[in-house]
Amino acid sequence: MQLKYSPVLLLRLSLAAALVHGQYIIESSSFGHGDRISPNRFGIPHWHVSGDGQTPPQLLSDKIVLTPPYPGNRRGAVWAETSVAQSEWTADLEFRATGGDRGGGNLQIWYTKEGRPRAETPSIYTTGAFDGLALVVDMYGGKGGSIRGFMNDGTTDYKSHHAVDSLAFGHCDFSYRNLGRPSRIQIKQLAESFEVSVDGRQCFSSDKIKMPAGYYFGISAASADTPDSFEVYKFVTSTAPGVTRELPRRDPPPQQPPPASNAGSPNNNQGSRHTSSDAQFAVQFTDLQNRFEKLSQSLDNVFREVQQLASKSESRHQDLSHKAMSNEQLSAMDKRIQSIESTLQGYSGQFSNIQSSLKDSHSTLNEGLTQHMTHIISTKTPKMSSFIIVVIVFQMLLAGSYVLYKRRRANGPKKYL
């Protein structure tokens, strides 16, 4: 009989095989990787949300707005209520910062021993003597943004320090504002290295940094008078590759030595060996059972996300199908375009005839007008001989008038005194 395996079963088996040597999400130090960040929009499981100012952080279905876009120096923070029990881990943060052209603010990622401090919404410039790690995202340096790393062992008071910026042990340029998409910061603590990467590229790393286990994660943000709105979409803490249990490994209970009177009995030695092997087998079986339970839970989360993606893709397909034109509409549009082209081709001959007629009329008008004006000028202009005759006749009249005047004056009576 031929066995038939469903695609779902094959996918479960392949994911189970991959997750045996993969990573496990530490639920108590993570949020945003499931369906909703908050089940009731009043809080985040295993996290404490706090704010400073008139407007507290806003909890939405897919993000938390630490600094809402209102002026007045807003502050917001979330702090994990459970410490990280593993010494090797990876933390991924997805956030977005939006604001005006001259907006200001900063975002801090904390990994500290004391966890939530007294001032629940601190920044690197207002915190005291913390013990742990702080990553700061702000506009330091004036190059469009940067990310810097700070460490403290509890002896340096950052609030009263005269040059906090000089205490950074690593930094890189990071343009994070108004990108239109979430940015990703990954912090990775392994046995041999500590590394910080931004959007898939390495920011800085060191093989001399080893953060201990038992510390708490926290995220805080602060805005200026012209505010930047810092929105956190998810913060996921996972174990190092090869470690799939969230709880730390416990040492097996110590074995009690056998009584002195029976120390030399071979049956007692054989019984103790059987008891020891049974205890080891029970521990291994419990460990394997816990792994499979965690794998099943992770697979359920994966399939839930796959179903969400499938529903979103189906809805997008339906929207596109509604917006797209049918074949009949396309054929009708094609016919209309063809009819318009044929009409324009019929008018092209008439347009050429009209153009030639206009050219002929223009040339005829130019030639006729020139000849007509030349004829008028040549025929209607008075001749020079006529002008000369008129001038001579006028002068003769003047001379005759003068002679007549002299004669009358000479013949007139004379007056004596």
Side-chain angles (χ1 to χ4, degrees), residues 130-336:
F130 68 95
D131 185 358
L133 169 72
L135 293 182
V136 180
V137 179
D138 58 6
M139 297 296 293
Y140 174 79
K143 297 181 180 180
S146 67
I147 178 170
R148 296 173 292 162
F150 297 85
M151 293 187 66
N152 194 5
D153 57 357
T155 59
T156 304
D157 189 356
Y158 275 50
K159 187 175 182 179
S160 60
H161 198 275
H162 63 283
V164 175
D165 298 328
S166 63
L167 301 177
F169 69 89
H171 69 91
C172 70
D173 295 335
F174 177 31
S175 299
Y176 62 93
R177 299 183 69 250
N178 299 327
L179 298 180
R181 58 168 178 82
S183 299
R184 180 187 179 190
I185 298 177
Q186 185 181 70
I187 312 170
K188 187 180 293 185
Q189 176 65 75
L190 300 178
E192 65 279 359
S193 65
F194 175 84
E195 179 181 344
V196 176
S197 60
V198 177
D199 290 336
R201 61 179 179 86
Q202 187 183 73
C203 181
F204 57 86
S205 62
S206 175
D207 57 354
K208 299 180 180 179
I209 298 177
K210 179 66 176 178
M211 301 302 301
Y215 282 27
Y216 298 81
F217 275 111
I219 307 170
S220 65
S223 62
D225 292 333
T226 304
D228 273 347
S229 176
F230 287 95
E231 305 170 353
V232 178
Y233 289 86
K234 69 177 181 178
F235 183 81
V236 179
T237 307
S238 56
T239 60
V243 180
T244 57
R245 294 186 63 190
E246 179 179 358
L247 297 176
R249 299 177 180 176
R250 294 176 294 181
D251 296 333
Q255 299 180 1
Q256 296 181 358
S261 60
N262 298 329
S265 175
N267 294 328
N268 291 336
N269 293 335
Q270 185 177 4
S272 62
R273 285 195 297 269
H274 284 296
T275 304
S276 177
S277 61
D278 292 340
Q280 292 178 359
F281 177 77
V283 171
Q284 292 177 358
F285 181 77
T286 303
D287 183 37
L288 184 61
Q289 184 179 4
N290 292 332
R291 290 192 180 189
F292 274 110
E293 290 178 357
K294 301 302 181 182
L295 286 176
S296 178
Q297 185 179 3
S298 300
L299 287 173
D300 292 337
N301 294 332
V302 170
F303 280 105
R304 191 180 301 111
E305 293 180 359
V306 170
Q307 290 177 355
Q308 292 177 358
L309 291 175
S311 61
K312 289 181 180 179
S313 62
E314 182 66 23
S315 61
R316 287 185 178 180
H317 177 70
Q318 291 179 358
D319 294 338
L320 291 176
S321 62
H322 289 309
K323 294 180 180 179
M325 295 184 178
S326 62
N327 294 329
E328 296 178 356
Q329 294 177 348
L330 290 175
S331 60
M333 185 177 292
D334 190 13
K335 290 180 180 179
R336 291 181 63 184

Side-chain angles (χ1 to χ4, degrees), residues 69-102:
Y70 303 112
N73 298 319
R74 308 293 175 179
R75 296 176 181 271
V78 288
W79 288 91
E81 298 176 348
T82 306
S83 62
V84 179
Q86 287 75 14
S87 60
E88 299 179 25
W89 43 262
T90 300
D92 287 280
L93 171 69
E94 287 189 6
F95 77 100
R96 185 176 67 175
T98 57
D101 294 336
R102 298 184 179 180

Side-chain angles (χ1 to χ4, degrees), residues 90-130:
T90 300
D92 287 280
L93 171 69
E94 287 189 6
F95 77 100
R96 185 176 67 175
T98 57
D101 294 336
R102 298 184 179 180
N106 53 50
L107 177 75
Q108 284 81 210
I109 306 173
W110 304 89
Y111 184 67
T112 60
K113 181 179 181 180
E114 59 272 10
R116 178 162 55 98
R118 294 180 180 177
E120 298 179 357
T121 58
S123 69
I124 195 64
Y125 301 101
T126 60
T127 187
F130 68 95

Side-chain angles (χ1 to χ4, degrees), residues 380-395:
K380 301 300 181 180
T381 303
K383 296 182 180 180
M384 186 60 66
S385 59
S386 300
F387 179 73
I388 294 173
I389 292 171
V390 171
V391 172
I392 293 173
V393 171
F394 181 73
Q395 288 181 355

